[in-house]
Amino acid sequence: MRLRNVPGSREVIAESKFTVTEPEKYKGKWKEVFGDDKPIRIEIGMGKGRFIMDMAELNPDINYIGIEKYSSVLVRAIQKEEERQLPNVCFIRMDAETITEVFEKGEVDRIYLNFSDPWPKDRHAKRRLPSREFLRRYDEILKKDGVVEFKTDNTDLFAFALEEVEPAGWKLDAVTHDLHNDSKMNEGNVMTEYEEKFSSKGNPICKYIISR
Ligand code: SAM
């Protein structure tokens, strides 16, 4: 994602009722943040947040947490949530590397990774969100029968992600290299901002669903 500094974004985030500023404090207590017992699903690297807000609107019985590293991007999601006022969504500004400090074992029902940054250099492979290093972190926070869903149009990143699944102790439940022409996997698909952009250019969208 191209980053433009948005002046004042840190202040907007700190003051917004839609962001949780000290997320470690809620480890094991996320139900308290929402005030109910609904399952918690997270998107890591949510960007401007359209996917997670559309999901929250479609599924009022699920609580959603969007995680984004950069203030200048997160602030766009906050602006949209101020208009939409969805009760079952909140945001965290953090690097997902420390995600196990924020969620308790089994606290998360599902993890979405959408159009994750490719980090093309080999020496940066550990930073890729579907890498085995991240899968180990997801293993810690995801409930026993929880799944990770990953979408991208980047074929190199998708090939890498597929190779990481078994060595990390996960198994492939479903896979497609052309989501929008796969009637089964595309059923109920909610497009992300990047998905709309890249599929409109003719790029096929890859998706997997994995579990342990
Ligand atoms: N998911 C959105 C979509 O599909 O439209 C945005 C995709 S954008 C290419 C990837 C986003 O992931 C960027 O906003 C980036 O800042 C965020 N990101 C990358 N690595 C991250 C990390 N380690 N922790 C949190 N966010 C991260």
Side-chain angles (χ1 to χ4, degrees):
M1 177 163 297
R2 236 180 47 234
L3 291 177
R4 206 173 301 128
N5 183 37
V6 179
S9 56
R10 283 202 175 240
E11 291 74 13
V12 171
I13 290 165
E15 283 160 24
S16 169
K17 63 175 177 174
F18 303 114
T19 51
V20 177
T21 43
E22 291 181 282
E24 298 83 6
K25 283 191 177 168
Y26 297 97
K27 183 171 178 172
K29 300 180 199 157
W30 282 95
K31 289 184 192 311
E32 286 176 20
V33 172
F34 292 101
D36 58 44
D37 218 20
K38 296 172 188 171
I40 291 166
R41 298 186 177 175
I42 66 175
E43 183 187 6
I44 302 180
M46 66 153 185
K48 295 177 190 166
R50 196 179 84 186
F51 169 83
I52 201 143
M53 287 185 258
D54 286 350
M55 291 294 277
E57 190 164 358
L58 284 168
N59 304 290
D61 289 337
I62 293 167
N63 290 324
Y64 291 90
I65 302 175
I67 293 170
E68 171 53 49
K69 188 157 67 167
Y70 292 110
S71 308
S72 50
V73 183
L74 174 56
V75 79
R76 303 294 181 213
I78 293 171
Q79 285 163 350
K80 278 192 222 151
E81 172 60 1
E82 267 158 16
E83 288 162 23
R84 296 179 72 166
Q85 298 279 331
L86 298 159
N88 56 332
V89 69
C90 73
F91 308 121
I92 305 173
R93 193 200 62 76
M94 66 175 285
D95 187 322
E97 273 188 15
T98 58
I99 195 119
T100 56
E101 291 167 28
V102 167
F103 296 101
E104 191 53 85
K105 208 169 180 286
E107 196 169 15
V108 175
D109 176 78
R110 187 172 297 186
I111 299 173
Y112 296 101
L113 309 174
N114 291 319
F115 296 80
S116 308
D117 293 337
W119 292 105
K121 292 188 178 129
D122 283 349
R123 68 172 193 276
H124 292 147
K126 285 181 185 173
R127 296 186 192 173
R128 298 173 192 153
L129 293 177
S131 67
R132 66 190 70 187
E133 287 79 9
F134 271 99
L135 290 180
R136 241 168 253 132
R137 297 176 181 121
Y138 307 152
D139 181 38
E140 276 193 47
I141 63 169
L142 196 62
K143 72 173 188 181
K144 212 171 134 226
D145 57 349
V147 298
V148 174
E149 297 194 8
F150 171 51
K151 293 195 278 191
T152 184
D153 69 318
N154 185 314
T155 47
D156 287 345
L157 180 65
F158 196 62
F160 166 83
L162 286 173
E163 280 168 17
E164 294 293 273
V165 175
E166 274 186 31
W170 292 65
K171 61 181 169 52
L172 202 55
D173 293 338
V175 63
T176 176
H177 287 82
D178 191 0
L179 176 65
H180 297 172
N181 288 305
D182 181 319
S183 55
K184 195 162 172 235
M185 284 190 77
N186 200 41
E187 207 184 314
N189 182 50
V190 169
M191 291 233 256
T192 79
E193 265 128 351
Y194 270 65
E195 184 171 352
E196 195 147 291
K197 184 168 139 190
F198 290 119
S199 61
S200 71
K201 286 184 183 169
N203 297 6
I205 307 301
C206 306
K207 177 174 178 173
Y208 78 36
I209 302 174
I210 60 170
S211 63
R212 289 93 101 215

